[in-house]
Amino acid sequence: MSITPVPRVAVIVVAAGSGTRLGAAVPKAFVGIDEHTMLRHALARVFAAPAAQVVVVAPAGREGDALTEAIAAAGDRRDLVSVATGGATRQASVAAGLEALWGDVEIVLVHDAARALAPPALFERVIAAIETGSAGAIPVLPVIDTIKRVENERIVAAVDRSELSAAQTPQGFRRGILDAAYRTATQEHTDDAALVAAAGHSVAVVEGDPLAFKITTPADLERARPLVARHPLGRSDARLENSPPPPRVGIGTDVHGFGGEGALWLAGLEWPGEQVLSGHSDGDAVAHAIVDALLSAAGLGDIGTHFGTDHPEYAGAHAGVFLSRTVALLGEAGYRVGNVAVQVQANRPRFAARRVEAEAVLSAALDGAPVSVSATTTDGLGFPGRGEGVAAFAMALVVPA
Ligand code: CTP
Ligand code: MG
């Protein structure tokens, strides 16, 4: 695989809203249109457009899920993906995305995840307008309805609709202009074009696309559903079912100290009569190192991203729960486990008699992928040598599913 050159264009996909008007049980960007979420559809189209740095701005606590969706959509462009944490308003979320831009980026497009069907050609039109000299450019559509100005439930004026346009996203700007406009903004604006215009710049328009409508209400979602089926991406750039990513290796380590009551769980096995390891879950350093190695290999962050202490359902959970959830996360990102090797450093327990058993249990939890377990003492040195705890080191290979 070749290294992707650093692009001059970035797309900030704002997906941090709660979706009050849609009223779903999850934040709007994570609501499914078909079997894929709004965010996944939006990103599939972003990745089918010319190569750009892609910053997904996610609701706080949903960064891991956003990263999983982005990597699934990115295919071989995964190096271009990062996730930022959104703010209380759309403007604050865009500002968080701007913080994550690489130094070489010259053109920034800001796009609503809620405009999940905005086609790749729309991104190209906006970029082209800026490349030919505009400070900013946004897609617009003519207003179709006759428009009235209403006050106190009475029409006070007719508005000439030929003067009006409906604004969409992606909205593109020269990076320096957008950065400066955000630094100096003193009030909330409803879109980025308004904020940039308030800073004194003129913003051009390009032809919008009806498919770039914003999914706001349940009726909008119903409208989107058949459209997704009728407007799939072309196969050549269909990053919903993306081109296979290359195999990747990852590394993970974990340490737990002895302490507490109950039974020792290590490498997915219960060890009667052995000292217990302490930890938020069962303290199984071997399983946790494997989870970190697998997530690292898939570029999905680490164990804290997906299984942090803010997930009470994992308190006291055993290896199988962590490992099978990790296999599922990998699957969503287009990977399965190739193989795993893990080494334990500890005086006790002694693995020799149960190595095969441990390998079988861990392998079963990883959908049958081979797992090798090895163990060593440390010649009395360090914390494992002093018998204070256990260290585990894992490497994993993941391959396209
Ligand atoms: N957005 C964001 N951060 C916020 C608010 C909105 O990133 N604090 C994003 C949304 O995720 C969406 C886009 O801005 O992709 C347009 O916002 P909107 O359609 O209003 O979405 P919500 O704010 O989530 O919906 P609602 O206003 O109904 O709550
Ligand atoms: Mg909103």
Side-chain angles (χ1 to χ4, degrees):
M1 186 187 75
S2 60
I3 301 291
T4 323
V6 176
R8 290 172 47 251
V9 178
V11 183
I12 297 173
V13 180
V14 283
S18 55
T20 322
R21 288 168 287 179
L22 189 62
V26 294
K28 185 161 79 175
F30 296 96
V31 172
I33 299 181
D34 47 10
E35 74 271 30
H36 294 302
T37 63
M38 255 184 241
L39 178 59
R40 178 80 166 272
H41 277 285
L43 287 169
R45 288 155 179 81
V46 168
F47 283 109
Q53 182 194 358
V54 177
V55 179
V56 183
V57 186
R62 287 289 191 151
E63 294 88 347
D65 299 330
L67 186 60
T68 307
E69 292 288 76
I71 283 178
D76 56 6
R77 291 196 193 169
R78 54 177 308 126
D79 295 349
L80 302 177
V81 172
S82 59
V83 173
T85 307
T89 61
R90 183 184 184 281
Q91 198 160 312
S93 295
V94 176
L98 286 172
E99 293 293 317
L101 295 185
W102 293 330
D104 293 350
V105 165
E106 294 166 10
I107 295 173
V108 182
L109 271 56
V110 182
H111 185 48
D112 293 334
R115 298 181 190 274
L117 298 182
L122 196 58
F123 292 77
E124 287 169 29
R125 280 210 285 286
V126 172
I127 294 168
I130 297 169
E131 279 174 340
T132 53
S134 298
I138 73 166
V140 297
L141 283 180
V143 173
I144 297 159
D145 294 325
T146 297
I147 305 287
K148 310 286 187 202
R149 194 179 300 282
V150 176
E151 279 172 24
N152 298 327
E153 293 178 26
R154 298 199 75 84
I155 294 167
V156 293
V159 181
D160 180 3
R161 71 173 172 224
S162 67
E163 293 175 355
L164 300 177
S165 292
Q168 300 183 318
T169 75
Q171 301 194 346
F173 307 91
R174 302 208 156 274
R175 192 245 184 100
I177 286 174
L178 188 63
D179 267 340
Y182 262 87
R183 271 199 306 275
T184 55
T186 53
Q187 62 183 84
E188 286 288 321
H189 297 274
T190 50
D191 69 356
D192 304 285
L195 187 144
V196 166
H201 301 283
S202 114
V203 177
V205 297
V206 301
E207 190 187 349
D209 191 309
L211 283 172
F213 72 97
K214 185 157 72 74
I215 301 173
T216 306
T217 63
D220 296 329
L221 188 57
E222 290 314 310
R223 177 176 165 207
R225 290 200 156 123
L227 289 172
V228 166
R230 250 185 284 142
H231 297 273
L233 296 170
R235 188 66 199 101
S236 62
D237 50 20
R239 286 169 199 273
L240 283 173
E241 315 302 338
N242 53 51
S243 52
R248 294 172 45 120
V249 295
I251 188 165
T253 72
D254 194 33
V255 168
H256 282 285
F258 290 117
E261 301 288 315
L264 171 68
W265 283 86
L266 193 62
L269 301 180
E270 188 176 1
W271 299 78
E274 295 283 348
Q275 237 186 316
V276 183
L277 290 165
S278 63
H280 168 61
S281 61
D282 62 356
D284 189 335
V286 170
H288 300 173
I290 293 174
V291 169
D292 257 351
L294 289 167
L295 292 174
S296 143
L300 291 172
D302 61 23
I303 197 164
T305 316
H306 300 278
F307 301 91
T309 46
D310 54 334
H311 289 277
E313 67 271 30
Y314 297 119
H318 295 310
V321 174
F322 286 87
L323 294 174
S324 45
R325 175 70 187 133
T326 305
V327 168
L329 288 167
L330 256 50
E332 287 165 28
Y335 288 109
R336 64 182 172 79
V337 184
N339 75 303
V340 170
V342 59
Q343 191 195 40
V344 189
Q345 292 188 352
N347 291 346
R348 295 203 61 84
R350 308 296 278 189
F351 266 84
R354 300 191 71 188
R355 177 206 318 280
V356 174
E357 200 187 340
E359 290 177 345
V361 165
L362 295 169
S363 167
L366 295 177
D367 271 1
V371 178
S372 328
V373 176
S374 56
T376 183
T377 56
T378 59
D379 220 5
L381 297 174
F383 68 85
R386 291 191 299 273
E388 293 167 10
V390 165
F393 304 86
M395 286 193 62
L397 180 77
V398 297
V399 294

